Amino acid sequence: MENASLISDTYSLIARSAQKNPEGVAIEGSGRQSLSFTELLRHIHYIRECLQLLKINRCDRVAIVLPGGPEMAIVLAGVSASAVCAPLNPGFQSKEFAVCFDTMNVKLVVLAAGQKSLAWQVANKNNIPILELEKHNHDPSGMVLSFKGYPVNGSDGTGMDSSILPEDLAIVLHTSGTTSQPKIVPLTHKNVSTAVRYVCNALFLRPEDRCLCMMPQFHIGGFVDLLLAPLASGGRVICVPGIDPEIFFEQLTKCKPTWFQAVPATLRLILAHAKAMNTIRVDSSLRFIRSVAAPLPLHMMHDLETLFKVPVIETFGMTEAAPLITTNPLPPGFRKPGSTGKTVGPDVAIMDAGGNLLPDGHPGEIVVKGDNVMSGYENDSLANEQAFAHGWFHTGDIGYFDKDGYLFITGRLKEIINRGGEKISPSEIDAVLLENPTVTQAMTFAVPDAKLGEDIAVAVVLAGGHSPEKHDIQKFVADRLSSEKVPRTIIFVDDIPKGPTGKPQRINAFEKLKPFMTGHVELTSMLPRTPMERMLAEIWKDILKVDKISVRDDFFALGGDSLQIEILTATIEKKFEIPFPTSFIFKFQTVEAQAKIIEEKTHNPDSHCLTSMHHTKQNCGFWISAHFPCHDLPLIPMETLYEGSLDQEINGLSISGVAKGYVKKIRDHSVKGPYLLGGYSVGGLIAIEVARQIETLGEEVCHLFLVDPYIEKEWEKSLSLKGKLLLFCRRIKELSFRENIRSFRKLVKLGRHYLFCSFYFKIKKPLPKRLHHFYISYIYSVASVTYEPPAFTGKATIYFRESHPSLKDEAWRQYCLNAEVHILNTTKHKEILKPPYIGIWLSELKEQLSRKRDLDSV
């Protein structure tokens, strides 16, 4: 980063990149318009104006409680340039918000508009002003967000000075300590800017780089590594909503990131997803992957490098160092697996208990000092006295340097539990458990975990006369703390291990209490009985990677961890379109219990997204992309993708991907198989792929009914307008003059429509209805060209118009081997949906639906 040492505040880091490349993309996100550096600066200026109107000054703390995404990134950048940003985990419970608001001395809270969340309740109760963030898909001002009650004034703020001093605070973060109260880490603009320079230099970041941000943005890594460093280098940040392996692989193709970072637990999910998809190698634009926050097993590093064909580098850092301390170098530098690499700039040493620095090869506590290290915890003189003894910051980690200057971490002095990269204070959990009237003593400690590295266990001494179940204890914690802090293992003991002074002995607690950790009691095996239980059991199997699920199996007994909790809740919310907070997993730990609560929340059929018919009605078929009235037919019309307004270009659409979405919707429905599937035009092509995917899931498709399906293989070059032109030139001699004129006019019309679409996308305006219809037809045409499925071997009925291209060479046979083909006496594709032709094939469709009803009744 050229002349980076001259920059000492977060605003100037971004403003410098904007000056160099004002129209370069700074931030983008799924379903959101991209933001240039100029537009990002405009948002930062707008945020400053709003804070000034609220009398928020340079030293005031502003809590940000927003979900991850482009909006969170913009607000982080804007608030840090005008006040002190204090990003908090949206998953906190009320008690955690109350503690953070108080200890951080929060003067303002930024929340999403219209959501009466726990943070809103706590802020309102404590009379803390709330600033509500509103998103905009289309706004004449070009803004993608604004604050409720504060209109955009149109000023671009180009004359705005930084007015930020290096010693001003940029961000305050809470980090777990050895007490029940979190420690407050204040980081100045100098700390942050120094850390940004370290990251940029260590990773050789450049304007061409695209960073995929899927980690929590309320952590220091989300602020420095995944936001400021990419922007300071002139690159872009691609924001995705959380951890989803499927979305991750989609983004690799769609947005072409050049790097990303994740904790080992997330990397494990990515590897598992690739294995499940039988993916051996991924060709991508990546040039490296970073593993952070926890040790990466050597076999995982090898598997990742084999899969992606790029180097994987481990790092060492912590919030107090903003956060980077050491990293393995990128090629041509030498990487040492198992090591966290060399220092990136700060002084790093190994120290013994007496404060003496140790030579290479001798283990001791890792200590660090430099411009990226905080000056001290807020309002905690005892912690500072211990943390900064002998003039160095003590990390609490044990390790050593080899002769080449590579750091190896071997253990930890502190009692913090590192659960998949999430640092958790055991004392905080103890304090909550002791609020439970049935508990007299509690000690939280770490236990080894194959997936997360460490997990949480708690030893509990019960009060006399009480005998709660383990899940009661978990539910009590889940109601008061965020999901990652809920212990998975509960041990009931007569007393907990204590030292001579009576203090609980957490170190080596696992070895001492291991005899009490009996196996889980086997529950009576009971297979899923209802459609909801069957769907939910399949979700569990996919997430937990098990072959058999009983409806009374315990999610945690089967190995469910904090990451899988997040995936399960996100999957349930997406599949059933209901709110399902992570705390529900601890309250309802079985398929039986979860199915019951989901059915209660989805009892209203009007809330279901699939159909206008009652969601429990049987003997139905599914019709994809319905362009005709279903009348009284027992057909469930499936909505067409992109049927709403469209304001951005769609890339990477595939028939298999679209079909996958339809399969999920069909399986959401309570209609039982065997299935009758139908479709018209491109809907027919999608129906073929839907049938194939359903059969791979072990279910039956009794009949496929296609009306003039889109199988025009003669247009194999239609991936581009240039390809169409070349094909037209080759066919000139084959066609008559009149046919050539007709084809040429069609090509010109196509090109004109496409140029108009490109213009609307460029100005970020929704397509008019006519262009919208053209563009959707075009992208499906492109997608169909690359579609080469295995042939559907089941029963099928196809109605073609007589001029259908695939009739000449029977190209349809590669899609449906056993189809009964009918040809209608019309040359026009749309006339099939009109009398008299619609009556012909509708009567056959009714007959097939009748046969399905007979089959269902057997």
Side-chain angles (χ1 to χ4, degrees):
M1 197 169 75
E2 182 186 357
N3 297 326
S5 59
L6 303 177
I7 299 176
S8 59
D9 66 89
T10 61
Y11 173 78
S12 298
L13 289 171
I14 299 172
R16 182 175 177 278
S17 293
Q19 185 179 20
K20 286 187 171 184
N21 186 16
E23 299 308 314
V25 175
I27 295 174
E28 65 177 276
S30 178
R32 311 292 289 146
Q33 67 183 72
S34 298
L35 211 65
S36 69
F37 278 98
T38 296
E39 292 167 331
L40 175 58
L41 276 188
R42 187 179 181 203
H43 281 77
I44 292 174
H45 302 152
Y46 167 74
I47 291 172
R48 172 174 285 192
E49 292 170 358
C50 292
L51 295 183
Q52 288 175 343
L53 290 173
L54 289 165
K55 309 300 181 184
I56 298 296
N57 62 43
R58 177 68 252 148
C59 299
D60 288 332
R61 278 76 183 291
V62 178
I64 306 171
V65 188
L66 296 171
E71 291 78 18
M72 175 64 165
I74 295 167
V75 174
L76 274 173
V79 172
S80 71
S82 308
V84 184
C85 65
L88 297 176
N89 185 349
F92 275 168
Q93 296 297 313
S94 298
K95 180 178 179 179
E96 293 167 300
F97 281 123
V99 169
C100 289
F101 289 170
D102 180 51
T103 56
M104 289 180 167
N105 194 23
V106 168
K107 301 296 184 183
L108 179 72
V109 181
V110 178
L111 301 169
Q115 297 183 7
K116 300 297 188 279
S117 62
L118 294 177
W120 185 92
Q121 296 172 17
V122 173
N124 191 51
K125 181 179 178 181
N126 290 277
N127 297 315
I128 301 174
I130 297 172
L131 194 56
E132 293 186 273
L133 183 74
E134 297 181 312
K135 299 180 183 180
H136 304 291
N137 287 321
H138 311 290
D139 190 277
S141 69
M143 299 289 280
V144 301
L145 60 81
S146 66
F147 293 121
K148 189 174 181 179
Y150 295 87
V152 179
N153 61 17
S155 171
D156 61 6
T158 52
M160 171 179 167
D161 294 325
S162 170
S163 69
I164 301 172
L165 300 176
E167 58 269 22
D168 286 338
L169 291 182
I171 188 170
V172 290
L173 297 153
H174 72 94
T175 183
S176 295
T178 55
T179 66
S180 61
Q181 297 296 326
K183 293 179 181 178
I184 305 303
V185 178
L187 294 168
T188 66
H189 282 269
K190 184 177 182 180
N191 294 146
V192 172
S193 299
T194 301
V196 167
R197 185 172 73 251
Y198 289 162
V199 174
C200 290
N201 292 340
L203 303 181
F204 306 117
L205 295 185
R206 56 203 180 196
E208 296 79 19
D209 278 312
R210 292 179 168 93
C211 169
L212 179 62
C213 175
M214 57 182 180
M215 293 184 69
Q217 292 171 288
F218 51 82
H219 284 181
I220 186 62
F223 183 60
V224 171
D225 295 351
L226 302 176
L227 177 63
L228 293 180
L231 295 179
S233 66
R236 72 176 65 181
V237 180
I238 304 164
C239 299
V240 296
I243 301 163
D244 187 327
E246 186 173 332
I247 292 178
F248 165 77
F249 281 101
E250 289 176 0
Q251 294 298 317
L252 284 187
T253 302
K254 182 178 180 181
C255 295
K256 302 188 182 306
T258 58
W259 69 282
F260 74 94
Q261 71 182 40
V263 299
T266 299
L267 296 174
R268 189 187 304 275
L269 290 175
I270 290 172
L271 286 171
H273 184 80
K275 184 177 180 180
M277 300 299 291
N278 295 318
T279 303
I280 300 175
R281 176 174 176 173
V282 176
D283 293 321
S284 70
S285 54
L286 291 174
R287 65 182 182 91
F288 67 89
I289 298 169
R290 290 180 93 205
S291 175
V292 299
L296 180 69
L298 294 181
H299 69 89
M300 282 184 59
M301 177 181 287
H302 174 267
D303 291 346
L304 286 165
E305 293 187 344
T306 300
L307 178 65
F308 292 102
K309 300 299 180 184
V310 296
V312 178
I313 57 173
E314 286 192 88
T315 68
F316 168 55
M318 57 196 314
T319 303
E320 292 86 341
L324 190 57
I325 299 174
T326 66
T327 185
N328 264 287
L330 287 168
F334 181 69
R335 290 174 294 131
K336 288 192 177 183
S339 165
T340 61
K342 295 182 174 183
T343 177
V344 295
D347 295 326
V348 188
I350 306 297
M351 184 177 287
D352 65 14
N356 302 303
L357 298 184
L358 300 174
D360 293 342
H362 290 259
E365 185 177 11
I366 303 168
V367 293
V368 60
K369 62 181 176 181
D371 288 341
N372 61 316
V373 181
M374 67 166 190
S375 59
Y377 298 108
E378 282 193 348
N379 305 318
D380 200 333
S381 57
L382 178 60
N384 287 330
E385 184 179 341
Q386 297 171 346
F388 289 91
H390 311 294
W392 294 74
F393 175 73
H394 293 246
T395 66
D397 292 285
I398 301 297
Y400 66 91
F401 281 104
D402 69 5
K403 60 182 179 60
D404 299 319
Y406 285 75
L407 179 64
F408 289 79
I409 299 175
T410 58
R412 189 162 55 253
L413 285 177
K414 295 181 179 180
E415 297 174 341
I416 299 301
I417 300 171
N418 189 345
R419 189 184 198 185
E422 191 72 35
K423 308 300 193 301
I424 296 166
S425 166
S427 296
E428 182 181 10
I429 300 172
D430 288 353
V432 168
L433 285 168
L434 292 174
E435 296 175 3
N436 190 322
T438 68
V439 175
T440 59
Q441 296 181 62
M443 184 184 73
T444 306
F445 58 97
V447 294
D449 185 89
K451 294 181 180 179
L452 300 172
E454 289 181 344
D455 208 342
I456 304 172
V458 62
V460 173
V461 179
L462 297 174
H466 293 278
S467 56
E469 298 291 335
K470 293 180 180 181
H471 62 81
D472 294 329
I473 301 295
Q474 290 175 320
K475 179 179 180 297
F476 186 85
V477 178
D479 288 340
R480 291 158 178 80
L481 297 176
S482 47
S483 61
E484 67 270 12
K485 298 177 184 178
V486 179
R488 198 172 84 183
T489 302
I490 310 290
I491 306 168
F492 295 115
V493 294
D494 295 330
D495 197 11
I496 58 176
K498 298 183 180 70
T501 61
K503 183 179 179 180
Q505 290 185 321
R506 299 185 204 276
I507 297 177
N508 298 323
F510 170 68
E511 295 299 328
K512 296 174 183 177
L513 294 172
K514 197 173 182 179
F516 296 93
M517 298 183 187
T518 56
H520 296 284
V521 178
E522 289 293 330
L523 296 172
T524 303
S525 179
M526 182 179 292
L527 295 177
R529 301 152 296 184
T530 66
M532 182 64 71
E533 287 180 350
R534 284 192 288 271
M535 284 190 287
L536 202 53
E538 290 301 318
I539 294 173
W540 277 38
K541 288 179 184 179
D542 185 58
I543 293 173
L544 297 172
K545 309 302 179 188
V546 296
D547 297 327
K548 187 178 180 181
I549 295 287
S550 167
V551 297
R552 293 180 180 171
D553 279 340
D554 185 280
F555 183 79
F556 300 98
L558 294 176
D561 56 42
S562 58
L563 280 174
Q564 290 166 327
I565 292 171
E566 297 294 337
I567 294 172
L568 177 58
T569 55
T571 303
I572 290 174
E573 289 186 342
K574 182 178 179 180
K575 190 176 188 68
F576 301 106
E577 297 192 346
I578 59 169
F580 202 87
T582 54
S583 60
F584 274 25
I585 306 299
F586 298 98
K587 298 175 184 178
F588 312 104
Q589 298 185 7
T590 67
V591 167
E592 184 178 42
Q594 289 177 11
K596 184 177 180 181
I597 194 66
I598 292 172
E599 286 179 332
E600 289 177 0
K601 287 182 171 291
T602 57
H603 72 282
N604 181 5
D606 293 336
S607 67
H608 209 285
C609 67
L610 289 180
T611 176
S612 60
M613 303 173 68
H614 194 281
H615 74 297
T616 59
K617 187 174 182 179
Q618 298 299 318
N619 304 323
C620 296
F622 291 90
W623 190 270
I624 297 172
S625 298
H627 292 287
F628 74 98
C630 291
H631 306 289
D632 296 325
L633 292 177
L635 278 177
I636 299 176
M638 307 294 287
E639 60 188 8
T640 305
L641 292 182
Y642 307 113
E643 62 183 5
S645 62
L646 188 67
D647 66 347
Q648 62 181 354
E649 190 172 2
I650 299 170
N651 296 311
L653 186 77
S654 69
I655 296 299
S656 60
V658 172
K660 188 175 182 180
Y662 282 119
V663 171
K664 288 182 178 179
K665 292 179 180 180
I666 289 173
R667 288 169 65 83
D668 275 346
H669 211 276
S670 59
V671 173
K672 300 178 182 179
Y675 298 97
L676 184 147
L677 303 174
Y680 160 71
S681 188
V682 73
L685 186 65
I686 297 170
I688 297 172
E689 176 61 17
V690 169
R692 188 188 67 83
Q693 292 187 18
I694 285 179
E695 288 190 334
T696 61
L697 296 172
E699 299 188 51
E700 181 184 354
V701 175
C702 64
H703 203 90
L704 196 58
F705 196 96
L706 310 178
V707 178
D708 215 35
Y710 196 96
I711 309 175
E712 300 195 29
K713 298 304 292 181
E714 68 170 298
W715 287 95
E716 286 186 327
K717 300 297 182 182
S718 66
L719 285 176
S720 66
L721 291 174
K722 181 180 178 181
K724 293 184 186 301
L725 180 61
L726 291 174
L727 182 60
F728 169 75
C729 292
R730 287 203 305 269
R731 298 177 65 203
I732 287 179
K733 294 181 179 179
E734 302 173 9
L735 303 177
S736 66
F737 177 77
R738 181 173 295 180
E739 288 173 326
N740 278 325
I741 293 296
R742 189 183 300 116
S743 297
F744 181 73
R745 287 177 176 174
K746 184 177 180 180
L747 184 62
V748 170
K749 181 179 179 181
L750 177 69
R752 185 172 65 247
H753 281 26
Y754 188 84
L755 289 175
F756 277 124
C757 290
S758 299
F759 172 74
Y760 275 91
F761 293 147
K762 188 174 182 180
I763 64 174
K764 299 176 181 177
K765 296 291 185 182
L767 295 179
K769 184 176 181 180
R770 186 174 180 182
L771 285 179
H772 179 272
H773 177 75
F774 156 78
Y775 189 71
I776 296 305
S777 299
Y778 175 77
I779 61 172
Y780 274 114
S781 171
V782 172
S784 69
V785 169
T786 59
Y787 176 63
E788 292 290 348
F792 175 72
T793 59
K795 295 181 179 179
T797 300
I798 308 178
Y799 278 84
F800 286 120
R801 69 185 187 278
E802 63 180 5
S803 60
H804 197 288
S806 71
L807 290 175
K808 295 179 182 179
D809 54 6
E810 294 192 328
W812 57 268
R813 289 192 182 277
Q814 63 182 305
Y815 295 89
C816 299
L817 291 179
N818 299 314
E820 181 181 331
V821 174
H822 303 271
I823 301 174
L824 298 174
N825 187 25
T826 178
T827 60
K828 295 183 179 180
H829 182 57
K830 292 183 180 179
E831 279 192 356
I832 289 181
L833 302 183
K834 300 176 182 178
Y837 309 108
I838 188 172
I840 297 172
W841 62 264
L842 269 182
S843 63
E844 175 65 19
L845 178 57
K846 291 178 182 178
E847 177 65 24
Q848 294 299 336
L849 286 167
S850 177
R851 292 176 185 175
K852 180 187 183 308
R853 287 196 296 271
D854 294 339
L855 180 65
D856 291 338
S857 63
V858 175

